[in-house]
């Protein structure tokens, strides 16, 4: 009986899902609020319930969808003459009011090894992304939800070649 009680206690303690006690995020890529990076951007709900992009089955959540995003980046991005190619991902949260924040950037070369791109490229892409104001508000059970969104940019020698997803 003592063994069963001890084993049950160990299982209960190990199954605790308290985010504050864990050094790991709920999902890979979750963004912890950083006042220096994120300013006054606020999510509307609970940190543990920000929807992931794969929970959204409607494709890109922007008014005009990918065509509109492609148009906006094509019109506003100015190619930089550098010998850098690869992928730049900007991941962020769209809150329940359709506002975007908590922008995080990661880059990789064409072989998917981490790469830091020239700031003239990343700063430009980040500023365009921050200026977007057509994010669609998502809801569950008729309640507006916060959700993660991401954009991936294919760069070839400083020129913007493609936008994913």
């Amino acid at each position: 009986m003592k063994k069963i009680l001890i084993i049950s206690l160990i299982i209960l303690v190990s199954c605790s899902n308290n985010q504050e006690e864990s050094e790991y995020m709920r999902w890979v890529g979750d963004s912890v609020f950083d006042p220096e990076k994120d300013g006054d951007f606020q999510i509307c709900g609970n940190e543990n319930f920000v929807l992931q992009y794969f929970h959204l089955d409607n494709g890109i959540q922007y008014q005009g969808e990918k065509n509109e995003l492609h148009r906006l980046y094509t019109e506003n991005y100015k190619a930089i003459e550098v010998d850098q190619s690869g992928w730049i991902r900007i991941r962020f949260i769209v809150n329940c009011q359709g506002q975007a924040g908590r922008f995080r950037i990661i880059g990789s070369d064409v072989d998917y090894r981490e790469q830091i791109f020239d700031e003239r490229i990343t700063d430009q892409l980040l500023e365009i992304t921050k200026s977007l104001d057509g994010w669609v508000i998502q809801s569950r059970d008729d309640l507006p939800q916060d959700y993660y969104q991401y954009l991936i940019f294919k760069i070839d020698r400083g020129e913007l070649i493609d936008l994913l997803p």
Side-chain angles (χ1 to χ4, degrees):
M1 181 68 168
K2 239 183 188 180
K3 276 186 177 179
I4 294 174
L5 185 58
I6 290 172
I7 291 172
S8 297
L9 184 59
I10 289 170
I11 291 172
L12 284 173
V13 170
S14 66
C15 289
S16 173
N17 191 18
N18 186 337
Q19 186 73 29
E20 296 171 352
E21 292 177 9
S22 175
E23 65 181 279
Y24 301 105
M25 299 303 297
R26 178 180 64 118
W27 296 97
V28 172
D30 276 0
S31 303
V32 175
F33 179 74
D34 180 343
E36 289 184 31
K37 291 181 186 176
D38 303 323
D40 60 356
F41 177 77
Q42 296 291 318
I43 63 170
C44 304
N46 183 318
E47 289 286 338
N48 293 322
F49 295 106
V50 177
L51 298 176
Q52 298 293 326
Y53 65 90
F54 49 80
H55 290 130
L56 308 172
D57 55 358
N58 301 334
I60 192 80
Q61 301 300 301
Y62 194 79
Q63 293 171 12
E65 300 176 350
K66 185 176 177 179
N67 288 338
E68 179 63 7
L69 289 171
H70 190 272
R71 183 188 70 75
L72 291 168
Y73 282 96
T74 301
E75 288 179 3
N76 293 296
Y77 180 82
K78 306 298 180 228
I80 305 297
E81 291 187 34
V82 293
D83 190 26
Q84 286 187 308
S85 298
W87 307 90
I88 298 171
R89 182 193 76 188
I90 300 179
R91 182 172 156 95
F92 51 94
I93 295 175
V94 177
N95 70 15
C96 68
Q97 299 170 343
Q99 301 163 332
R102 285 200 205 172
F103 298 93
R104 303 294 187 265
I105 298 176
I106 189 168
S108 66
D109 65 15
V110 294
D111 295 317
Y112 302 104
R113 293 180 299 238
E114 189 170 354
Q115 171 175 294
I116 297 175
F117 280 83
D118 188 301
E119 287 182 357
R120 295 174 296 170
I121 296 171
T122 54
D123 287 353
Q124 200 176 160
L125 291 173
L126 183 59
E127 286 309 309
I128 296 168
T129 305
K130 286 181 174 181
S131 74
L132 299 174
D133 62 359
W135 296 107
V136 177
I137 295 172
Q138 293 297 299
S139 59
R140 285 251 167 112
D141 300 324
D142 295 325
L143 296 172
Q145 299 288 307
D146 306 306
Y147 64 94
Y148 280 98
Q149 187 66 66
Y150 72 93
L151 298 169
I152 298 174
F153 306 92
K154 182 177 182 182
I155 304 295
D156 184 26
R157 293 183 300 275
E159 185 178 336
L160 178 60
I161 300 300
D162 201 2
L163 167 67
L164 303 169

